[in-house]
Amino acid sequence: QVQLVESGGGLVQAGGSLRLSCTTSGRTLSTYIMSWFRQAPGKEREAVARISSTGENTFVVDSVKGRFTISRDNAKNMVYLQMNSLKPEDTAVYYCAAGTTWFSYAYWGQGTQVTVSS
């Protein structure tokens, strides 16, 4: 069983930065593809970024490209989402997820709220 825990959310002004972290109290994350998703009020959940198990391959959606960076430190069992130049439209609950394919995730965290004020 993999229990994911996110942290690092909060309230920030537009243009500011936050770094989200994700770790697990269970099995190691090093064998999993990891992704960050977000869900804004009244909207569907969307994938934001994902990273391969080794960290060699990453992907971010166009709406956050150049502003968000996903990374991982398998030695520390951590996955990060560095978010810069935040915009009010980035306001959402952010979730990390672990899976064995790019598009299928078996394990999810409880989410962390990110609120960007204008």
Side-chain angles (χ1 to χ4, degrees):
Q1 187 71 12
V2 177
Q3 295 178 321
L4 301 174
V5 179
E6 303 98 336
S7 61
L11 174 64
V12 64
Q13 288 188 333
S17 298
L18 285 173
R19 188 177 79 158
L20 305 183
S21 300
C22 175
T23 189
T24 179
S25 58
R27 296 171 56 184
T28 177
L29 294 177
S30 63
T31 61
Y32 291 98
I33 294 168
M34 299 296 297
S35 283
W36 287 96
F37 290 79
R38 67 184 180 186
Q39 187 165 21
K43 295 187 177 181
E44 292 187 356
R45 186 174 59 196
E46 65 169 342
V48 175
R50 54 181 181 256
I51 187 167
S52 62
S53 59
T54 62
E56 289 183 4
N57 296 303
T58 62
F59 171 82
V60 294
V61 296
D62 286 346
S63 60
V64 306
K65 194 167 292 183
R67 300 189 297 121
F68 290 13
T69 303
I70 188 171
S71 62
R72 67 191 302 162
D73 185 337
N74 285 340
K76 295 183 178 179
N77 218 30
M78 298 290 291
V79 179
Y80 306 100
L81 185 67
Q82 179 66 44
M83 305 187 295
N84 299 327
S85 302
L86 282 160
K87 304 175 181 180
E89 52 262 44
D90 295 319
T91 295
V93 178
Y94 284 72
Y95 300 89
C96 71
T100 55
T101 73
W102 283 113
F103 302 105
S104 177
Y105 296 91
Y107 305 105
W108 294 80
Q110 82 290 348
T112 186
Q113 177 71 47
V114 171
T115 303
V116 184
S117 63
S118 57

